[in-house]
């Protein structure tokens, strides 16, 4: 049942900006390791989005941005090869007011009021706010959570020391088979609040456990928050995929999202680093 009585809102904030490689945004067919080591160009700065959902049962975040300590703490990244590779992958610009706490305050929220945090996946630019969220429940896919204890997680983009912080309250979740024509073609889901307003859908590809959040609420077009499934929604709709992750998984998940839109022609897809996301969200309200 959809919550249709109490008003909910969605806003977006960004914890600084990031430049990535053009081949990261859209694959040119070359292997990841090749362009990571040889690319000479950066994109224009892109946002590091955190979606803020005011739900009747409490404030929900989708992703938490990049930790400013990644610039200010010389030991944030492991030394040696890992630090070199992360430096090749992304270039961050994070100012003093780009912390999650400060950004939430700028839109009128106290971080202490965050009740639930949903992570699309565990890459560093999505988990950066965790040190500020010891009071919240942290929801992540069980598949993604398993990455933390796999060998050499840092080579899969997971800095385990910054994920498994003392005191955090983790809830690994699975998406379970459901018979629900309103989320077709998806056949498994996890209903976060049990009211149909916030439903997690499996969209593996960027990482094996990547989740998207389907948001349905009164007064707003349906939203799909997709994390890093795409970096540019126009590319997504064109069926063109990024250069990071499993190509097969990215293609399959991209096709599933396109099919979901067949049921919801007004669906708005919001990615973590799409420069158009803020304007798309504004348009979802009109
Ligand atoms: Zn990522």
């Amino acid at each position: 049942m959809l919550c249709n009585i109490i008003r909910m809102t969605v806003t977006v904030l960004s914890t600084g900006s990031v430049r990535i490689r053009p081949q990261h945004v859209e694959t040119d067919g070359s292997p990841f390791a090749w362009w990571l080591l040889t690319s000479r160009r950066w994109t224009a700065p892109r946002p590091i989005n955190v979606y803020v959902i005011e739900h009747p049962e409490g404030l929900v975040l989708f992703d938490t941005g990049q930790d400013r300590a990644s610039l200010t703490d010389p030991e944030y990244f492991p030394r040696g090869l890992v630090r070199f590779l992360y430096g090749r992958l992304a270039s961050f610009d994070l100012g003093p007011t780009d912390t999650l706490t400060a950004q939430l305050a700028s839109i009128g929220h106290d971080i202490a009021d965050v009740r639930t945090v949903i992570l699309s996946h565990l890459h560093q630019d999505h988990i950066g706010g965790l040190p500020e969220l010891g009071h919240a429940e942290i929801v992540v896919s069980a598949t993604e959570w398993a990455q933390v204890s796999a060998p050499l997680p840092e080579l899969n983009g997971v800095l385990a020391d910054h994920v498994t912080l003392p005191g955090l309250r983790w809830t690994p979740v699975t998406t379970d088979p459901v018979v629900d024509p309103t989320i077709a073609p998806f056949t498994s889901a996890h209903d976060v609040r049990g009211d149909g307003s916030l439903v997690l859908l499996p969209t593996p590809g960027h990482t094996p456990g990547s989740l998207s959040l389907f948001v349905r609420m009164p007064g707003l077009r349906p939203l799909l928050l997709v994390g890093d499934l795409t970096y540019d929604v126009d590319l997504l709709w064109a069926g063109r995929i990024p250069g990071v992750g499993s190509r097969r998984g990215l293609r399959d998940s991209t096709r599933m999202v396109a099919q979901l839109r067949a049921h919801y022609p007004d669906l708005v897809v919001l990615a973590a680093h799409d420069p158009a996301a803020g304007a798309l969200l504004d348009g979802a309200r009109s």
Side-chain angles (χ1 to χ4, degrees), residues 67-271:
D67 191 343
R68 188 159 187 267
S70 65
L71 286 189
T72 60
D73 177 358
E75 301 304 320
Y76 188 87
F77 293 101
R79 289 173 181 271
L81 179 65
V82 170
R83 187 178 298 182
F84 169 76
L85 293 175
Y86 277 72
R88 292 283 313 167
L89 186 65
S91 173
F92 291 95
D93 184 0
L94 314 167
T97 61
D98 287 333
T99 65
L100 182 60
T101 297
Q103 286 296 307
L104 278 169
S106 76
I107 58 170
H109 289 298
D110 185 337
I111 197 165
D113 293 334
V114 175
R115 181 173 170 195
T116 306
V117 175
I118 301 168
L119 298 174
S120 62
H121 63 296
L122 290 174
H123 284 167
Q124 47 146 350
D125 51 328
H126 299 256
I127 59 92
L130 291 183
E132 302 158 64
L133 290 161
H135 54 284
E137 177 191 25
I138 317 289
V139 175
V140 67
S141 89
T143 304
E144 196 73 10
W145 184 243
Q147 297 265 310
V148 179
S149 48
L152 300 173
E154 59 276 16
L155 295 184
N156 288 320
V158 177
L159 297 174
D161 288 350
H162 299 304
V163 173
T164 56
L165 298 173
L168 291 184
R169 203 150 40 87
W170 289 93
T171 303
V173 298
T174 55
T175 54
D176 297 317
V178 290
V179 179
D180 179 357
T182 73
I183 60 167
F186 291 91
T187 56
S188 70
H190 176 81
D191 189 337
V192 178
R193 285 282 175 258
D195 61 3
S197 63
L198 303 175
V199 175
L200 283 167
L201 302 173
T203 50
H206 179 68
T207 64
S210 286
L211 293 172
S212 293
L213 183 64
F214 192 28
V215 180
R216 290 173 290 181
M217 57 179 63
L220 198 64
R221 290 162 61 182
L223 310 177
L224 189 68
L225 314 184
V226 297
D228 286 2
L229 176 61
T230 188
Y231 299 92
D232 179 327
V233 75
D234 289 335
L235 293 179
L236 180 88
W237 298 136
R240 287 147 64 183
I241 60 169
V244 173
S246 152
R247 285 183 196 169
R248 182 174 181 172
L250 288 165
R251 279 202 193 91
D252 288 348
S253 292
T254 296
R255 195 178 311 119
M256 297 277 276
V257 171
Q259 290 174 14
L260 182 70
R261 189 168 70 152
H263 298 278
Y264 296 90
D266 57 348
L267 180 70
V268 176
V269 169
L270 301 171

Side-chain angles (χ1 to χ4, degrees), residues 18-79:
V18 61
R19 293 167 174 262
I20 54 179
R21 305 293 185 179
Q23 297 94 331
H24 194 147
V25 176
E26 181 183 6
T27 181
D28 63 359
S30 61
F32 172 73
W34 172 257
W35 64 254
L36 182 64
L37 294 173
T38 63
S39 185
R40 295 181 170 194
R41 291 187 295 136
W42 294 106
T43 66
R46 311 175 78 87
I48 311 165
N49 285 335
V50 175
Y51 292 93
V52 183
I53 302 163
E54 292 177 36
H55 187 277
E57 292 186 22
L59 206 57
V60 178
L61 302 184
F62 186 76
D63 286 330
T64 71
Q66 176 84 8
D67 191 343
R68 188 159 187 267
S70 65
L71 286 189
T72 60
D73 177 358
E75 301 304 320
Y76 188 87
F77 293 101
R79 289 173 181 271

